[in-house]
Amino acid sequence: MAIIKSVRGFAPVIGKDTYLADNAVIIGDTVIGDGCSVWFGTVLRGDVNSIRIGNGVNIQDGSVLHTLYEKSVIEIEDDVSIGHNVCIHGAKICKGALIGIGAVVLDHAVVGEGAIIAAGAVVLSGTIIEPGSIYAGVPAKFVKKVDPEQSKEINQKISRNYHFYASWYK
C-alpha cells in the first residue's frame, strides 16, 4: 500500500480510479485527479506547498515532485505523462505535455500544452516552453515545433497506455 501522509494539517486527496504503486509516497497538500497513476518509488512531497494534479496523469517510477516553501507550487494539467526519474520542482505542466525520462523542470517554469521535454533535459527556473514545441539539452533549448495533432495523439496514447498498465495492478 502506498505511503499517504498528512503534514501541517494537510491530507492528500486521491481521485477515483487512480493507481498508487505500493511504495509511492504522497504527502501533505497534494491533490490527484481521476484516472491517474503514480508509479513505484515516486514521491509527491506536498509538505511545504501545494501540488495539484489533473485527470489522466501518469507519473512514472522514481519521479520526485516538490516545491519551494511559500514560493512555488506544482500544477499539472490533464493527460500529462511524466517519465521515469523526472524531477519537477515548483513548475506548471500544461495539458497533454510529455516530460521525458530523467528530465528536470525547475521552479516557476511553464511547459506549454502538448510540449515535449526530451529525456535528460534541464528546464531552468522561469523558462516558458511554448505549446507544441520540443526542448532538449542542458539547459533545455528550443529544438522545433511539432504538429499539434501529432503531439496530442502521441501524448494521449502514452497517457491511455499508462491507465491500461495500471489496471494490471488493481
Side-chain angles (χ1 to χ4, degrees):
M1 166 144 321
I3 298 168
I4 300 174
K5 238 178 152 35
S6 297
V7 66
R8 296 178 46 230
F10 294 101
V13 177
I14 314 298
K16 67 180 190 228
D17 195 29
T18 287
Y19 169 69
L20 303 177
D22 296 347
N23 64 346
V25 180
I26 317 297
I27 298 172
D29 191 6
T30 301
V31 177
I32 302 172
D34 298 336
C36 294
S37 58
V38 180
W39 291 87
F40 298 96
T42 294
V43 178
L44 309 182
R45 215 177 108 205
D47 56 352
V48 300
N49 221 330
S50 65
I51 297 173
R52 298 293 180 263
I53 297 168
N55 300 316
V57 173
N58 65 87
I59 305 171
Q60 298 168 27
D61 313 69
S63 293
V64 175
L65 280 63
H66 197 236
T67 63
L68 288 173
Y69 181 60
E70 297 181 343
K71 293 186 178 175
S72 67
V73 298
I74 289 178
E75 180 183 351
I76 299 174
E77 295 180 353
D78 297 345
D79 301 317
V80 167
S81 290
I82 298 172
H84 310 289
N85 294 313
V86 166
C87 180
I88 297 176
H89 204 280
K92 179 177 181 175
I93 314 297
C94 295
K95 183 177 181 174
L98 170 67
I99 312 299
I101 294 170
V104 176
V105 184
L106 296 173
D107 297 283
H108 309 293
V110 177
V111 177
E113 184 172 338
I116 297 170
I117 305 302
V122 176
V123 178
L124 298 178
S125 294
T127 302
I128 307 299
I129 306 292
E130 299 87 14
S133 60
I134 298 175
Y135 272 61
V138 179
K141 300 284 186 200
F142 175 80
V143 174
K144 68 179 185 176
K145 293 293 267 184
V146 292
D147 175 80
E149 285 307 308
Q150 184 181 19
S151 173
K152 183 177 180 180
E153 181 182 327
I154 291 167
N155 294 350
Q156 284 183 343
K157 180 181 178 185
I158 293 167
S159 183
R160 283 190 305 269
N161 285 349
Y162 268 87
H163 189 69
F164 174 66
Y165 304 153
S167 72
W168 300 341
Y169 293 87
K170 292 181 181 178

